[in-house]
Amino acid sequence: MQHFNNDDLTEMATRYRVQLINSLSGFKSANLIGTRDKQGNNNLAIFSSVFHLGSSPALVGFIMRPDSVSRHTLDNIQQTKQYTINQVSDDFWRKAHQSSARYLSEQSEFEHVGLTPEFVNNVTAPFVKESRLKYALTVKEITPIELNNTLLIIGEITDVICEETAIKDDGYIDIESLNTVAISGLDSYHTTQRLSRISYAKPDKSPMEIPLNGVNE
Amino acid sequence: MQHFNNDDLTEMATRYRVQLINSLSGFKSANLIGTRDKQGNNNLAIFSSVFHLGSSPALVGFIMRPDSVSRHTLDNIQQTKQYTINQVSDDFWRKAHQSSARYLSEQSEFEHVGLTPEFVNNVTAPFVKESRLKYALTVKEITPIELNNTLLIIGEITDVICEETAIKDDGYIDIESLNTVAISGLDSYHTTQRLSRISYAKPDKSPMEIPLNGVNE
C-alpha cells in the first residue's frame, strides 16, 4: 500500500494533489443545476457535490466556490431564489461536462452544449428536457465555509419530475434504470451495475437482499 | 413523466417520501468511518454523505444526525479529534451495510460485522484493514444545520493509504479498479463501469477523451 503522510500531502505538486484528493470521497453524483437571471438569461452548470440532507423537510445541499466559473449559478439563485437540479444520464454526459466551460453570463450553456431548457408551472428556473429525473428547489440557506472560502447552498424541494417506470412501489427510484451516471475524481464518468438492494440492518440478524420493487416488512 | 408538486410531497406517506427523496441526489459515496473512544473502544459506521470540499487544504465533509444510531461516531470525534474514512468495495459491502445496526457503545461493529481494525503511526482511530483506499482526518469544524437539526462535520486529511496500482500518473485514483461501490437511495449498492475520463472543458472546443493514466496538456 502507498502511504502519503501529512508532509507528502503538503509538498505534493498542486495538480497532482487536486486529482488525488478529489478521488478520496468515493463516487460523486452528477447533476446539472439550471438557473435564470432577472433578465431571462438561462444558465446551466454541472456539479459533482450535490448531496442529500434530509427528507422532511426535503433538503438537498451542494458546495460552490463563489469566485469560480459557476458564480452565475450563485448570482441567479440569490436573485430569483429558485433553481433546478437535473440528473445526468449516459446519453448526454459529454454535453453536461461541457457546461463547465467558462461562458459569459449572457451566453446560455444550454445553446452552447446542445441541451434544451424546459419550463414547468410556477418554476422560473429552467429544467433540462433531456434529464430523466429532475426537481425544483427554493433556496433556504447559504452558509459560508470559512475553512476554504466555499459556500454550502441548501434548498428545499418543491417539485419532482421523473420517468414513471423508474419509481418503485416503496418510493425508491431506480436511477440505474435511468442510466444516471456517477463521477470519480474531477473528470471520470461511470455507469453502474446493481449489486442488490438490502434490508435495514438490525443487530441480531444478517441483512437480506430485497427485491428492486421494495418489500413490506 | 410523473410530476409530484409541493402538495404531493407534503401529503406523501413518510416511508415512501424517505425512499423517494433519498433517490434524488444521484449516486452517493459509500464509506466506513472509524473512530475510537478514550477507553479504547473502536467504532465503525457506514455513511453515504461523505463529500469532497477542497484540495488545499484537503477537506472532506459528511452529514450526521446527532440523535441517530451514529451518535457514537460523533462522541468519539469530539473526544479524540481523529477519525478515518474507508472506501467500501464490493467484497465487503454487506458487512459495511451491517455496521449501521444499532449496537451498544461498548460493542465494536468491527467484531460484529467481521471487519478488521488496523492501526497506523500517529493515528489513534482505527482503519478498516479490508479497505483498499482510506485516509485519516483531524476534525476542523462541526457546523449545525438548523433547518433539519443535522451536523456538517469537516475534517482535514492527514494521511492517505491506497493500493499503489490504482494511483495514476497525474494523481487520479482509479477507484473503479478498487471495486469501490456507490449507493443509491437508502439501500441499493452498485459497482461501476467507466465511460471515460474527459478533458477540462473550454468554451471553444469539445471535450476530448483522455487516457486513464491522465495526460500532459
Side-chain angles (χ1 to χ4, degrees), chain A residues 6 13 16 48 56 78 92 108 115-116 134 163 176 211 213-214:
Chain A
N6 214 356
Y16 189 95
S48 62
S56 187
Q78 286 174 323
F92 64 94
S108 170
L115 292 169
T116 316
K134 45 203 166 193
E163 285 186 18
E176 181 164 286
N213 232 348

Side-chain angles (χ1 to χ4, degrees), chain A:
Chain A
M1 299 285 266
Q2 178 90 37
H3 182 162
F4 301 101
N5 66 22
N6 214 356
D7 290 342
D8 298 330
L9 293 172
T10 307
E11 290 159 16
M12 207 170 258
T14 303
R15 295 180 70 165
Y16 189 95
R17 179 188 173 93
V18 169
Q19 285 285 356
L20 187 91
I21 302 296
N22 262 280
S23 304
L24 298 184
S25 59
F27 287 102
K28 305 174 183 179
S29 58
N31 289 287
L32 285 164
I33 298 189
T35 56
R36 188 175 173 94
D37 69 16
K38 280 185 179 163
Q39 287 72 46
N41 296 306
N42 295 322
N43 186 278
L44 193 65
I46 192 166
F47 285 85
S48 62
S49 62
V50 170
F51 61 92
H52 173 81
L53 246 177
S55 301
S56 187
L59 299 176
V60 166
F62 73 100
I63 302 292
M64 68 177 313
R65 296 191 170 274
D67 56 349
S68 70
V69 61
S70 49
R71 71 195 177 284
H72 301 143
T73 299
L74 176 64
D75 293 344
N76 295 350
I77 290 174
Q78 286 174 323
Q79 279 177 37
T80 68
K81 312 299 178 199
Q82 283 195 323
Y83 53 110
T84 70
I85 297 182
N86 306 264
Q87 286 193 5
V88 175
S89 59
D90 74 349
D91 50 348
F92 64 94
W93 68 277
R94 284 184 183 79
K95 294 177 178 178
H97 181 79
Q98 182 62 18
S99 72
S100 60
R102 192 175 288 272
Y103 297 108
L104 303 175
S105 68
E106 65 274 18
Q107 293 181 307
S108 170
E109 290 81 6
F110 281 101
E111 270 179 54
H112 279 280
V113 307
L115 292 169
T116 316
E118 178 181 51
F119 292 93
V120 170
N121 318 347
N122 305 321
V123 181
T124 57
F127 288 91
V128 177
K129 185 176 170 59
E130 288 80 358
S131 177
R132 301 169 71 178
L133 168 50
K134 45 203 166 193
Y135 43 104
L137 306 96
T138 302
V139 66
K140 300 301 283 184
E141 193 174 288
I142 300 180
T143 303
I145 298 176
E146 288 170 11
L147 286 167
N148 67 347
N149 193 30
T150 53
L151 299 171
L152 166 59
I153 296 170
I154 300 176
E156 182 166 355
I157 297 169
T158 59
D159 292 83
V160 176
I161 298 171
C162 182
E163 285 186 18
E164 205 163 345
T165 52
I167 306 171
K168 300 304 167 191
D169 291 347
D170 64 348
Y172 171 73
I173 303 177
D174 180 6
I175 65 173
E176 181 164 286
S177 75
L178 301 175
N179 300 326
T180 296
V181 300
I183 295 175
S184 69
L186 290 168
D187 54 27
S188 185
Y189 290 76
H190 308 255
T191 55
T192 62
Q193 182 73 43
R194 177 173 288 100
L195 291 160
S196 182
R197 292 187 66 186
I198 193 168
S199 60
Y200 185 79
K202 295 182 178 171
D204 52 341
K205 61 176 188 177
S206 294
M208 305 279 289
E209 299 198 355
I210 59 178
L212 181 53
N213 232 348
V215 284
N216 296 318
E217 284 178 89

Side-chain angles (χ1 to χ4, degrees), chain A residues 19-28 182-185 188 190, chain B residues 28-31 87-90 132-135 162-163 165-168 171-182 190-192 194 197 212:
Chain A
Q19 285 285 356
L20 187 91
I21 302 296
N22 262 280
S23 304
L24 298 184
S25 59
F27 287 102
K28 305 174 183 179
I183 295 175
S184 69
S188 185
H190 308 255
Chain B
K28 305 174 184 180
S29 57
N31 289 289
Q87 286 194 3
V88 175
S89 59
D90 75 349
R132 303 169 68 178
L133 167 50
K134 46 204 166 191
Y135 43 106
C162 182
E163 286 187 16
T165 53
I167 306 171
K168 300 304 168 190
Y172 171 74
I173 303 177
D174 180 6
I175 65 173
E176 181 165 286
S177 76
L178 300 176
N179 299 328
T180 296
V181 300
H190 308 254
T191 54
T192 62
R194 177 173 288 101
R197 293 186 66 185
L212 180 54

